[in-house]
Amino acid sequence: MSAASAFDRRDLGLLLLRLGAGGVLAAHGTQKLFGWFGGHGLTGTGQFMESVGYRPGKASATAAGLAEAGGGTLLALGLATPAAGAAAAGGMAGAATVHAPNGFFNQSGGYEYAATLGLAATGLAVAGPGRLSLDHALGHVFDRGWMVPTALATTAAVTALVVGARNRRLDKPEKEEDAAGFEGQESLFGE
């Protein structure tokens, strides 16, 4: 096998991975944004986002939809691959957080699916799009080496803030309930 054919296999493999993962992500994003493919659009997705602690719901649905649809489309095209992969991975990290209480496997409502898509997107951000991509055709203007850690670190920081805020909102009612229960116990003992 020559070096050229090894590169061709790698490029073809990256293209297939980009088209598969990017296409799935884009489809999920358009469900959220436009209600396509049986989705609920911004209104329905926004209501769901509110119910799982992402507030405001409609803004959260828009952000998730853009990360998935935009990141997925750009990954499929192989354009701005570091930013596209990081955005999609951030969206999937937020989704995985919602599913984490159900365990790992998707059949139980777990985070397996979101984690797989997020890892694929991260892997593409790190590996690059290959030669069969718009990034390559444009001379990698939007795919420089320094962009990979910058995009991933920025997305990780923003995702940590968003998920942290969600988790604090979800913990707050439990703490208030615990405090109310404790106050009720005090009155039982006449304290």
Side-chain angles (χ1 to χ4, degrees), residues 3-179:
S5 63
F7 286 119
D8 292 338
R9 281 182 41 202
R10 179 181 180 275
D11 293 328
L12 181 59
L14 287 169
L15 173 65
L16 293 172
L17 184 57
R18 285 191 354 255
L19 291 174
V24 169
L25 285 160
H28 277 281
T30 60
Q31 286 181 310
K32 289 173 178 65
L33 294 173
F34 311 117
W36 296 354
F37 309 113
H40 300 286
L42 285 176
T43 301
T45 304
Q47 291 169 351
F48 171 76
M49 295 293 236
E50 286 271 345
S51 76
V52 296
Y54 287 114
R55 295 187 185 113
K58 199 165 190 177
S60 297
T62 301
L66 288 173
E68 293 174 17
T73 299
L74 290 172
L75 279 175
L77 295 171
L79 180 62
T81 304
M92 292 298 96
T97 301
V98 171
H99 295 280
N102 300 322
F104 177 71
F105 291 104
N106 190 50
Q107 69 194 27
S108 301
Y111 64 93
E112 170 188 18
Y113 186 63
T116 300
L117 285 174
L119 287 170
T122 302
L124 287 166
V126 171
R131 291 187 299 179
L132 302 172
S133 66
L134 288 178
D135 273 336
H136 182 74
L138 297 172
H140 295 278
V141 174
F142 303 110
D143 179 36
R144 303 278 187 217
W146 64 267
M147 294 175 181
V148 175
T150 302
L152 291 172
T154 301
T155 298
V158 170
T159 302
L161 289 172
V162 170
V163 169
R166 171 201 179 256
N167 291 344
R168 283 189 299 281
R169 276 192 287 282
L170 293 178
D171 285 345
K172 190 175 182 180
E174 290 176 17
K175 289 178 183 172
E176 289 172 359
E177 188 176 293
D178 290 345

